[in-house]
């Protein structure tokens, strides 16, 4: 609703969970391709598609940004997003800072696949530009996940924007009563809700605008 309010068209993907790679990536790629192929009917700009994901969904969004060739090799066209928004994302398989449960699921327990899906190692020059945000206090998915992804983007010189907020736990979404079960107006982090406007400005700077056609 926040992004509809800003004039963007928004779609929600109900994808398979508790299932190993490649099923979630294939489903996300098919959704991107579908939106592009039906851009006129859906009133979107076909070359301005951003994928947003939160937590484990952030890992899926990150896969769509870095591993889209896998989907293309399996017959899904036009599935590289034009941008991604990674919100307190699961990124790394490094057990020191990993969200091990997410990686146990997506890898199906295969150690070789687990390493392949550590996304800081999957970034290359053709990866989608990324907006990344996290909180320092996140005690579920450590902030190191976002820092590792940002470092990988910097190494490959792929455009990105990174925001780390000091206060706030995991799963705070857009930081309001409707999306965060522990919301408390008196104690909520004052800065955190700014992330939506920061993302809107970043998207608009990259040419994401309302179509008048």
């Amino acid at each position: 609703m926040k992004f509809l309010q800003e004039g963007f068209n928004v779609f929600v993907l109900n994808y398979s969970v508790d299932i190993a790679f490649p099923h979630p990536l294939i489903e996300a790629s098919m959704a991107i391709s579908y939106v592009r192929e039906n851009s006129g009917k859906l009133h979107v700009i076909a070359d301005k598609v951003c994928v947003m994901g939160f937590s484990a969904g952030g890992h899926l969004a990150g896969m769509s940004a870095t591993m889209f060739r896998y989907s293309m090799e399996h017959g899904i066209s036009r599935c590289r997003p034009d941008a991604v928004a990674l919100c307190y994302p699961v990124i790394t398989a490094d057990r020191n800072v990993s969200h091990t449960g997410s990686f146990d699921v997506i890898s199906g327990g295969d150690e070789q696949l687990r390493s392949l899906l550590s996304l800081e190692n999957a970034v290359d020059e053709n990866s989608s530009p990324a907006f990344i945000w996290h909180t320092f206090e996140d005690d579920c998915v450590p902030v190191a996940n976002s820092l590792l992804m940002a470092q990988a983007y910097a190494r490959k010189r792929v455009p990105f924007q990174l925001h780390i907020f000091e206060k706030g736990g995991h799963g705070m979404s857009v930081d309001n009563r409707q999306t965060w079960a522990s919301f408390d107006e008196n104690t909520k982090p004052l800065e955190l809700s700014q992330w939506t406007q920061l993302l809107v400005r970043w998207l608009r700077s990259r040419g994401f605008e309302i179509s008048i056609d």
Side-chain angles (χ1 to χ4, degrees), residues 132-205:
I132 310 166
W133 75 272
H134 218 118
T135 63
F136 168 74
E137 292 183 340
D138 193 327
D139 60 359
C140 180
V141 177
V143 68
N145 283 262
S146 286
L147 296 174
L148 285 168
M149 194 63 159
Q151 289 174 336
Y153 266 73
R155 282 194 299 271
K156 296 299 183 179
R157 303 188 64 80
V158 179
F160 73 95
Q161 191 171 120
L162 172 68
H163 297 276
I164 305 297
F165 300 94
E166 179 184 358
K167 300 294 183 180
H170 189 71
M172 296 182 70
S173 186
V174 295
D175 191 25
N176 62 20
R177 294 184 190 280
Q178 290 72 37
T179 59
W180 183 37
S182 301
F183 181 89
D184 185 336
E185 186 68 50
N186 297 316
T187 62
K188 79 182 191 73
L190 296 177
E191 302 87 0
L192 185 58
S193 59
Q194 298 175 10
W195 78 263
T196 57
Q197 284 302 310
L198 292 169
L199 176 54
V200 166
R201 287 199 287 271
W202 183 77
L203 288 171
R204 288 180 175 159
S205 77

Side-chain angles (χ1 to χ4, degrees), residues 2-4 13 24 33 37 39-40 47 50 62 68 72 82 87 94 112 116 134 145 149 158 160 162 164 178 180 206:
K2 283 278 188 180
F3 291 91
L4 284 170
L13 174 64
S33 180
E37 290 172 2
S39 58
D47 62 352
C50 175
F68 52 87
M72 293 171 67
D82 302 293
C87 311
D94 182 344
Q112 186 174 357
L116 176 68
H134 218 118
N145 283 262
M149 194 63 159
V158 179
F160 73 95
L162 172 68
I164 305 297
Q178 290 72 37
W180 183 37
R206 303 200 63 80

Side-chain angles (χ1 to χ4, degrees), residues 15 53-61 63 87-90 99 102 141 170:
Y15 67 95
F54 298 76
S55 193
H59 186 269
L60 177 54
M63 283 197 294
C87 311
Y88 39 89
V90 174
H99 187 265
S102 295
V141 177
H170 189 71

Side-chain angles (χ1 to χ4, degrees), residues 66-80:
T66 60
M67 302 181 69
F68 52 87
R69 289 184 191 81
Y70 179 92
S71 299
M72 293 171 67
E73 289 168 359
H74 287 77
I76 305 173
S77 62
R78 306 177 71 191
C79 59
R80 175 190 178 273

